[in-house]
Amino acid sequence: MTDFARTPRRPAVTLGRVRLGAGGPLVGVRVADGRVTHVIAERERGSSAPVGTAADERVVDLEGRVLLPGLWDAHVHLAEWAGVRRRLDLSGTGSAREAADRVRRHAGGAAAGTVLFGYGFRDALWPDAPHKRLLDAVSPDRPVALVSADLHAVWLNSACLALAGRGDHPTGLVREHEGHEVLSALPEASPETVDGWVADACRAAAARGITGVIDFQFGDTVGAWERRSAQLPPAVRVSAAVYPEHLDAAVARGLRTGSGIGGHGDLVRVGPLKLFTDGSLNTRTALCRDPYPGLEHTDGSHGLEQTSPRDLVRLMRRAAAHGIEPAVHAIGDHANTVALDAFETVRCRGRIEHAQLLSPEDLPRFAELDVIAGVQPRHATDDRDVADRYWAGRTGRAFAYADLLAAGARLEFGSDAPVSPLDPWLAVAAAVGRTDDDRPAWHPEQRLPLRDALAAAARGRRLIRVGDPADLVVVDVDPLDADLDTLRAMPVHATMTDGRWTHGPY
């Protein structure tokens, strides 16, 4: 495979004998200077003659494989995902005790003060509650910090609570903003180490056909990507989010959504301003019109308001006035209404991230207000059981992708990695099939047609046309001929970003 990071821009290349899109004709596609310059039917150009005329032009015979627009992950936490790939995996644990037992088997073999990080537990349906006592029993000396699959809760033992300055916490289960504060107080890997992990994660993403991501990593994401891209270009395009605590600095620098940063052309750009209206379904902090079953008479029975409507409008208005588009996290139906109301007040372009539970009257507002719905189809299949319990009677309007599409909304797929794996084909299969196991489709009326799912996975790009960026993916199987299992494991032959191979044998 080509070392993308160290190879200068290549001469023009012609991709010969390739199918142009799912179910498309056999063509030759010429790429030069990071753009598609020609698309010519094979019968017009002959079986082997190159489209271009440059003496050093290379012709790559793709032997009838399928060429698709490059795919994007429109919602990822890259450093978190890169780190999770090296943490204790707690996915699939069915109880707090089972999770603690998994910690017990991994707690030895390291210095007592070294933090054992784990990730991936989902406690919404557990028969027992996470508590520091369970972790203290299996790891009394070594600090343990376990992050929930949705990134909205952290479960710590007493040693780790003390390390984070929260020694008096009653349960060790810390949610939402306080959880992020606790994690930031714990020892971290060096920036150089994290940058290496992120570079590996980007190469792994390219191997699945990814040509770009929106990175919503918490913290100074723009600064982190300026550091990384100053030396080597990433294997994918990156749109780096801005968080409110860094908004003033971005404005002072004159940065706007789409501004190029780093030293490699337009591969790394400033992304949107990330704002939160509520929490998540698994932690029962998504802000809903109806109370959560069993929590009717408690504080927070309807979820958690992260940002008041007034502050939301204030922040969105300041960002939009300086060319920074907002991306508003909203999961519960009331949170989505609040977010859409804010967009209607400010009258700016932007995104709502997740849009998981929607009121029927809010569906057409996405198109009316030109607000993108950034959705994660794997969440629909991962959370179906939790939704059936806590959103009982309302799940017909949960993860309502078909309804959003019918209402004219623009959908963009992401993974929210590490909440679900950074793999666009899992999202496509989940959107098309509404199941990821042997059970029947969950609310099959919300399934998307394959072509619409592929477009949502490519940030709306449906065709490959002359003048387009040469962000392309070559797959071995026509998606139109693939069953759900094949879609999930789609064999990616090669990936090209900005006219250079980022994955494959070339």
Side-chain angles (χ1 to χ4, degrees):
M1 173 183 162
T2 299
D3 187 345
F4 174 67
R6 300 185 182 278
T7 302
R9 185 177 297 279
R10 287 184 163 212
V13 60
T14 292
L15 312 178
R17 288 202 302 159
V18 65
R19 298 279 173 189
L20 190 65
L26 200 63
V27 299
V29 175
R30 182 176 183 269
V31 169
D33 295 328
R35 295 276 171 181
V36 175
T37 63
H38 298 75
V39 178
I40 297 182
E42 281 290 324
R43 64 178 182 274
E44 296 177 13
R45 77 174 191 91
S47 59
S48 61
V51 173
T53 58
D56 60 350
E57 181 165 321
R58 184 183 181 194
V59 179
V60 175
D61 186 353
L62 290 173
E63 301 176 332
R65 293 181 172 90
V66 178
L67 186 69
L68 300 171
L71 305 180
W72 273 70
D73 191 311
H75 191 125
V76 62
H77 304 265
L78 259 178
E80 193 76 24
W81 168 243
V84 158
R85 298 168 80 215
R86 293 159 174 83
R87 292 180 176 180
L88 172 61
D89 184 5
L90 297 170
S91 60
T93 50
S95 68
R97 288 192 176 278
E98 183 181 348
D101 188 58
R102 196 171 293 185
V103 169
R104 177 186 57 78
R105 295 196 299 269
H106 289 80
T114 304
V115 179
L116 170 61
F117 285 101
Y119 166 76
F121 74 87
R122 297 174 183 269
D123 65 322
L125 300 178
W126 280 358
D128 52 354
H131 198 283
K132 62 184 179 182
R133 287 194 300 267
L134 288 170
L135 297 180
D136 290 346
V138 298
S139 183
D141 300 317
R142 185 178 181 187
V144 176
L146 310 179
V147 182
S148 65
D150 60 9
L151 304 181
H152 284 256
V154 187
W155 178 18
L156 308 102
N157 68 350
S158 295
C160 204
L161 286 166
L163 187 63
R166 296 295 206 285
D168 57 350
H169 195 278
T171 67
L173 186 65
V174 187
R175 300 184 185 275
E176 301 300 344
H177 182 67
E178 186 182 6
H180 295 307
E181 289 182 338
V182 165
L183 287 176
S184 66
L186 297 177
E188 298 178 344
S190 69
E192 295 77 14
T193 297
V194 173
D195 290 352
W197 292 350
V198 169
D200 288 344
C202 288
R203 286 189 286 269
R208 298 303 295 144
I210 291 285
T211 59
V213 301
I214 303 179
D215 187 4
F216 286 103
Q217 179 64 36
F218 307 111
D220 183 9
T221 317
V222 169
W225 276 107
E226 285 183 306
R227 180 184 69 244
R228 292 169 190 149
S229 62
Q231 299 180 10
L232 298 175
V236 298
R237 297 185 187 272
V238 177
S239 179
V242 178
Y243 278 81
E245 57 268 33
H246 300 285
L247 177 58
D248 287 346
V251 168
R253 293 179 56 189
L255 298 179
R256 306 168 65 89
T257 297
S259 296
I261 54 177
H264 297 281
D266 62 357
L267 281 177
V268 181
R269 293 180 175 270
V270 176
L273 172 70
K274 181 65 181 292
L275 299 168
F276 288 83
T277 61
D278 66 346
S280 72
L281 169 58
N282 181 72
T283 55
R284 282 79 75 201
T285 51
L287 191 60
C288 298
R289 298 184 185 280
D290 301 299
Y292 287 91
L295 302 178
E296 291 87 349
H297 305 295
T298 64
D299 289 340
S301 60
H302 291 257
L304 175 68
E305 180 186 88
Q306 293 261 40
T307 306
S308 72
R310 181 178 179 179
D311 285 343
L312 187 64
V313 167
R314 176 181 59 82
L315 288 165
M316 288 173 61
R317 183 170 282 146
R318 173 160 172 71
H322 294 277
I324 300 177
E325 297 177 3
V328 183
H329 167 114
I331 288 183
D333 51 1
H334 184 55
N336 276 279
T337 297
V338 168
L340 288 165
D341 287 348
F343 275 107
E344 187 168 3
T345 298
V346 177
R347 290 291 175 179
C348 66
R349 296 184 58 198
R351 314 168 55 85
I352 287 181
E353 298 300 320
H354 309 304
Q356 288 186 2
L357 185 66
L358 297 172
S359 299
E361 59 270 21
D362 281 338
L363 287 166
R365 300 179 73 196
F366 284 83
E368 291 166 1
L369 298 170
D370 195 21
V371 174
I372 295 168
V375 299
Q376 299 76 39
R378 268 297 295 269
H379 292 1
T381 55
D382 288 342
D383 291 345
R384 61 187 288 180
D385 297 319
V386 180
D388 280 339
R389 176 169 177 179
Y390 291 106
W391 288 346
R394 293 171 279 166
T395 53
R397 51 189 176 90
F399 310 95
Y401 306 143
D403 286 350
L404 278 166
L405 192 67
R410 173 173 167 173
L411 304 181
E412 291 189 2
F413 286 174
S415 63
D416 202 10
V419 181
S420 61
L422 206 172
D423 189 330
W425 297 103
L426 298 178
V428 169
V432 170
R434 297 286 290 199
T435 185
D436 60 3
D437 51 32
D438 294 333
R439 291 181 290 177
W442 186 64
H443 288 288
E445 73 277 8
Q446 296 296 346
R447 289 183 294 197
L448 291 183
L450 177 64
R451 292 187 187 277
D452 292 316
L454 288 173
R459 297 196 81 185
R461 190 176 169 199
R462 293 176 178 269
L463 304 172
I464 297 170
R465 298 170 296 194
V466 171
D468 282 353
D471 296 351
L472 307 166
V473 57
V474 183
V475 295
D476 289 332
V477 177
D478 191 326
L480 289 177
D481 299 330
D483 59 20
L484 289 180
D485 285 339
T486 304
L487 274 178
R488 295 183 190 106
M490 176 60 68
V492 175
H493 177 71
T495 306
M496 174 180 282
T497 299
D498 194 35
R500 294 188 283 185
W501 297 111
T502 57
H503 167 71
Y506 310 114

